[in-house]
Amino acid sequence: MVRLIHPYSFPIRDRFPTEQPQCGGENRDTHQLSQGQSGGAAPSLHCLLPWPPQDPPTCWQVWAPPGHAEVPAGEVSRDLVGLGSQPSPRPPSHIRHQPDAVARLASLHPALAGARQQAQTHFPPWFYNQTPDGSISAAPAYFMSYIYQTRHFFPPKIHPHLSFLRLHPPWTPPAMQHSSIHWFRKGLRLHDNPALLAAATDCRCLHPLFILDPSSGRAGTNAWRFLLDALRDLDGSLREMGSRLFVVQGCPEEVFPHLFHAWGTTRLTFEVDTEPSARRRDATVAELAEQHGVEVIQKVSHTLYDTERVLALNDGKAPLTYKGLQSLLASLGPPEKPAPALTLEHLQGCHTPCQVSHDTEYGVPTLEELGQDPTEVGPHLYPGGETAALTRLNALMDRTAWVCGFKKPETEPTSLSPSTTVLSPYLKFGCLSVRTFWWWLDEVYQGQEHSQPPVSLHGQLLWREFFYTAGAGIPNFDKMVGNPICLQIDWDDNPQHLRAWREGQTGYPFIDAIMTQLRTEGWIHHLARHAVACFLTRGDLWVSWEEGLKVFEELLLDADWSLNVGNWLWLSGSAFFHRYFHVYSPVAFGKKTDRDGAYIRKYLPVLKDFPAEYIYEPWKAPRAVQEQAGCLVGTHYPQPIVEHGAASKRNLGRMKAARAQKGNESPGRHQAPLAPCRHPSCLPLLQAPSGSNQPAPQWLNHEGKSPRSSSTDPHRDPQPWVRHHLSPFDPFRSTASH
């Protein structure tokens, strides 16, 4: 028995052979049908097969999720599916499409009702797949049907997408019992999405759902555009599978009870989210689902490992060093392989009910509809979505030598085009699976000499895992107060300085160029993030890292909560990193890779005509030079808001006092030690100039030279040092993606 709708019509055999077809060669015991005449431009309904195969048939059967309907033979007329008055001793030679034929067919079973509108307007090609048990299944782009228990063969080449097929009876269709919602949050992809596959298993009705809550989070216009790109791309991919994305606005705790009732939901699936606020939300939704009799399935796929399992291995505590994390992961073995991508085969027998008004009721909104100003978006350099993510990844993986030789500290923050992968936004939103990235790298590495963690691309993904684990295991991770690993510091409350830093108006061109790139493009190199974070906090302005965190959450496309928090803690000297006397110079650091100032000229065009001698310190240029450049400092571009040397000297003393106070306190359960991290990735941080034979050129002053004799005590020298390599890790998005 079968229900088929196809843009061609052809005769149905008068009788069905009773012998069993063989499963051997391609043409053994096959029964071909001759191609008939097309029923015109209108699609044809063909065919309803008699059941059981006998002569004459006693009834016709139509099967569709979750069951089938029997129609007495007399109710099948020669020209259309409908009510007939006389029994038909044999199947009709044609069942041609009439305007209301689909409606009458739909009346035979409620599950077919949703096919009416689609069938009368558009028929995409059918695709045929051989299922694991050897049967042939058919799956159109709008709804699914099954073919089974027949020895009926379709003629070859009646359509470019059809081939000579054989059905292998007997086969009983699976029990399609569930009405599933898959809740997309992160994980905006079809590849490596085990929760989505779980939703499609034994499913008769699938609603892919994304809930937009414009009141939550601090995302800016660029980030909203990236998200909407990703949702449109996801909806397009689901369309190709015969499904659609349902976008609903509101609070999940309020939305779900209504949807459970309206959609008759029996199963809810979603990807595990490790963020504390997300876990609280998910726990509430799970309770609501239980109250409505809805099964909940959660799957880990946003991280390489299950963070709960990693924490359990460490007695419930987050490892505070990279080496500590590596030791724990070594006991777990390599990351799990990615799950298969969703295909038409996974959706056989499963349909997504869509109305003509779907785009109006459940479509992806515009920026304006979300209350965002589209004039505030910058250049569209990094379009969102799974398609763009896989395209970028594919292009990068083709560069085998570059991938194998990648060392994060050797990339340049002042490069006019990204010197790293820029996959971080796609990993943040889950447009790209981190496990897919990991195992593709593993494939490229095979048989090749390649860099190693922590500086390699694999190493960057492990840094990502490090901060995810810390965020999941450390209480109040995103706050200073109540955070057991965070240094308690009396930061200044200076809104003017914070605003100047955010808007790129500090008077230091390198800092302002970075913040301008961030505000317009939504992405900056990880060492650029180092420089501006140090400047805001312990280096110059002494403003709390929590304030910088909020700005990055708004402006970054890749503002991943755990990574953003962890790296602000690191760069402010509040946790993880303890060489607080190593400070970025807002002048010398940029000169190291861009002495001419091309980066500054690109993002601060007001300074583009300054000579290289003054491009980093325009306030030092004679007035005549400023006039010739068309920019008067103090009029067209601000004076420096602080004097770096004096400010960093003062802040050094304040940081020493805060650390001395912490040293007098008893360490808590998660409290980080005062001793610096000894992991090899951090050893360059510990090798400041001294009387030993350790290399000194990492630490440079404004002139690019060592600031002291080798006998100088770094704790007493007021001259702030400048990082050459902060460390071979990837702060502020510790993935290879920056």
Side-chain angles (χ1 to χ4, degrees):
M1 63 188 183
V2 66
R3 175 179 62 83
L4 287 179
I5 300 177
H6 196 275
Y8 292 83
S9 64
F10 53 91
I12 300 175
R13 288 182 60 86
D14 286 345
R15 65 173 60 234
F16 293 85
T18 58
E19 66 272 18
Q20 292 285 333
Q22 304 299 311
C23 299
E26 179 65 24
N27 296 306
R28 184 183 301 174
D29 294 329
T30 59
H31 304 272
Q32 299 187 33
L33 299 177
S34 61
Q35 181 176 355
Q37 300 297 318
S38 171
S44 297
L45 285 176
H46 66 84
C47 51
L48 301 180
L49 302 184
W51 182 257
Q54 62 185 44
D55 187 8
T58 57
C59 68
W60 298 81
Q61 288 195 352
V62 177
W63 187 89
H68 64 270
E70 293 187 354
V71 187
E75 294 185 7
V76 181
S77 70
R78 169 174 292 273
D79 292 325
L80 54 84
V81 179
L83 298 177
S85 56
Q86 299 297 325
S88 174
R90 297 185 183 277
S93 59
H94 285 78
I95 303 178
R96 294 194 299 273
H97 176 77
Q98 298 296 327
D100 208 36
V102 176
R104 302 189 189 189
L105 178 62
S107 69
L108 301 179
H109 195 282
L112 301 181
R116 177 180 181 182
Q117 184 64 37
Q118 303 293 354
Q120 290 178 342
T121 55
H122 177 61
F123 282 94
W126 281 74
F127 299 92
Y128 289 82
N129 302 300
Q130 185 163 349
T131 57
D133 63 3
S135 61
I136 296 295
S137 63
Y142 282 102
F143 50 92
M144 312 301 165
S145 295
Y146 280 89
I147 309 172
Y148 74 101
Q149 287 297 85
T150 75
R151 290 172 290 278
H152 178 59
F153 296 86
F154 295 101
K157 299 181 181 179
I158 65 170
H159 189 277
H161 292 287
L162 289 178
S163 59
F164 195 80
L165 304 175
R166 173 174 37 254
L167 304 180
H168 298 170
W171 177 65
T172 302
M176 297 298 171
Q177 58 186 4
H178 282 287
S179 175
S180 298
I181 294 177
H182 176 70
W183 182 17
F184 286 99
R185 299 95 65 82
K186 301 172 185 175
L188 302 179
R189 62 180 185 270
L190 300 189
H191 74 278
D192 189 25
N193 198 330
L196 178 59
L197 295 181
T201 302
D202 297 337
C203 176
R204 58 180 170 78
C205 181
L206 174 65
H207 286 86
L209 173 69
F210 187 89
I211 301 177
L212 272 172
D213 187 358
S215 64
S216 65
R218 299 186 178 92
T221 307
N222 283 329
W224 275 112
R225 177 177 64 181
F226 188 96
L227 172 60
L228 298 183
D229 284 349
L231 295 179
R232 281 189 288 267
D233 181 72
L234 180 61
D235 184 43
S237 297
L238 288 168
R239 277 178 184 249
E240 296 176 4
M241 299 289 170
S243 185
R244 290 296 301 272
L245 180 66
F246 291 73
V247 180
V248 178
Q249 296 191 40
C251 172
E253 295 87 340
E254 298 174 357
V255 166
F256 273 115
H258 169 72
L259 296 183
F260 290 157
H261 176 74
W263 293 344
T265 306
T266 62
R267 175 193 285 160
L268 172 66
T269 68
F270 52 85
E271 181 183 65
V272 169
D273 195 327
T274 63
E275 297 177 19
S277 61
R279 286 186 292 178
R280 291 190 294 270
R281 174 201 63 200
D282 293 349
T284 301
V285 169
E287 291 178 4
L288 290 171
E290 183 179 2
Q291 294 170 11
H292 287 77
V294 175
E295 175 190 15
V296 175
I297 298 176
Q298 302 185 50
K299 298 287 187 178
V300 173
S301 55
H302 193 64
T303 51
L304 291 172
Y305 295 87
D306 183 348
T307 56
E308 292 300 319
R309 188 178 178 192
V310 175
L311 291 170
L313 285 175
N314 202 40
D315 298 326
K317 297 181 294 185
L320 298 177
T321 66
Y322 189 91
K323 185 175 182 179
L325 177 71
Q326 285 182 304
S327 297
L328 293 172
L329 299 185
S331 66
L332 296 176
E336 188 175 333
K337 292 288 185 71
L342 184 75
T343 64
L344 287 166
E345 183 176 348
H346 293 114
L347 294 177
Q348 291 171 0
C350 176
H351 76 287
T352 297
C354 294
Q355 305 299 323
V356 176
S357 59
H358 180 90
D359 287 338
T360 301
E361 296 180 8
Y362 298 111
V364 179
T366 63
L367 285 171
E368 295 92 334
E369 290 170 338
L370 294 176
Q372 300 292 320
D373 185 354
T375 64
E376 294 181 357
V377 297
H380 205 179
L381 302 179
Y382 313 113
E386 180 181 22
T387 301
L390 294 177
T391 299
R392 179 174 286 272
L393 178 64
N394 186 67
L396 289 168
M397 294 300 102
D398 285 341
R399 301 166 59 190
T400 302
W402 183 86
V403 168
C404 292
F406 182 91
K407 295 181 179 180
K408 195 57 173 286
E410 296 179 4
T411 58
E412 298 182 0
T414 54
S415 175
L416 298 186
S417 59
S419 59
T420 52
T421 68
V422 197
L423 287 172
S424 51
Y426 302 98
L427 289 168
K428 186 266 187 199
F429 285 97
C431 303
L432 173 64
S433 156
V434 65
R435 299 189 299 201
T436 296
F437 191 6
W438 175 278
W439 285 106
W440 201 337
L441 284 171
D442 186 76
E443 181 179 333
V444 172
Y445 286 159
Q446 294 300 316
Q448 305 282 341
E449 290 187 8
H450 59 86
S451 55
Q452 297 292 333
V455 299
S456 65
L457 289 172
H458 264 174
Q460 305 310 301
L461 297 180
L462 290 178
W463 274 112
R464 180 181 187 266
E465 209 74 8
F466 174 82
F467 285 119
Y468 264 96
T469 307
I474 298 174
N476 300 306
F477 190 54
D478 60 348
K479 299 176 177 61
M480 180 182 73
V481 177
N483 184 338
I485 71 165
C486 183
L487 186 64
Q488 303 298 298
I489 299 174
D490 186 18
W491 300 104
D492 288 345
D493 181 13
N494 194 323
Q496 292 77 21
H497 280 181
L498 177 62
R499 186 181 307 110
W501 174 82
R502 183 192 186 282
E503 300 299 327
Q505 294 290 309
T506 67
Y508 285 95
F510 181 56
I511 300 298
D512 295 343
I514 294 171
M515 295 304 294
T516 300
Q517 181 188 14
L518 172 60
R519 192 171 60 256
T520 56
E521 298 178 4
W523 181 91
I524 51 178
H525 188 277
H526 81 284
L527 289 178
R529 305 180 195 208
H530 287 197
V532 296
C534 182
F535 186 89
L536 178 69
T537 58
R538 60 187 172 87
D540 292 80
L541 302 185
W542 202 254
V543 172
S544 171
W545 61 269
E546 293 183 61
E547 298 300 325
L549 173 72
K550 296 173 186 176
V551 173
F552 271 30
E553 283 181 348
E554 176 188 353
L555 300 181
L556 280 172
L557 298 178
D558 58 14
D560 209 329
W561 182 83
S562 298
L563 308 176
N564 198 20
V565 172
N567 285 288
W568 273 101
L569 285 166
W570 192 305
L571 269 301
S572 66
S574 297
F576 304 117
F577 173 61
H578 307 289
R579 306 297 281 185
Y580 60 89
F581 40 83
H582 296 161
V583 176
Y584 284 92
S585 165
V587 175
F589 184 62
K591 285 183 178 181
K592 180 181 178 294
T593 55
D594 183 23
R595 183 160 291 277
D596 184 61
Y599 178 80
I600 293 173
R601 298 178 200 279
K602 176 179 179 179
Y603 291 103
L604 298 180
V606 67
L607 300 176
K608 64 182 177 63
D609 293 327
F610 270 81
E613 180 183 359
Y614 299 112
I615 191 70
Y616 283 89
E617 301 171 285
W619 63 89
K620 290 185 177 180
R623 184 174 180 84
V625 173
Q626 296 182 32
E627 290 176 348
Q628 186 176 1
C631 175
L632 298 179
V633 176
T635 301
H636 305 108
Y637 181 74
Q639 292 280 355
I641 57 176
V642 294
E643 198 281 306
H644 172 64
S648 57
K649 178 180 178 180
R650 178 177 64 253
N651 294 344
L652 177 64
R654 300 167 87 174
M655 183 64 73
K656 287 176 64 177
R659 295 188 65 78
Q661 181 178 354
K662 180 178 181 179
N664 294 328
E665 299 173 355
S666 299
R669 172 179 169 84
H670 282 91
Q671 198 164 36
L674 282 176
C677 174
R678 307 302 302 189
H679 184 263
S681 69
C682 298
L683 286 180
L685 307 178
L686 311 178
Q687 298 171 353
S690 67
S692 68
N693 293 325
Q694 301 288 2
Q698 302 173 53
W699 313 104
L700 311 175
N701 64 12
H702 288 246
E703 306 302 324
K705 301 176 182 179
S706 178
R708 60 177 57 83
S709 66
S710 61
S711 61
T712 305
D713 180 358
H715 289 269
R716 296 184 179 181
D717 192 333
Q719 170 66 47
W721 294 347
V722 179
R723 273 300 322 275
H724 175 62
H725 301 299
L726 182 59
S727 71
F729 67 84
D730 178 15
F732 290 109
R733 189 58 187 138
S734 298
T735 69
S737 357
H738 280 317

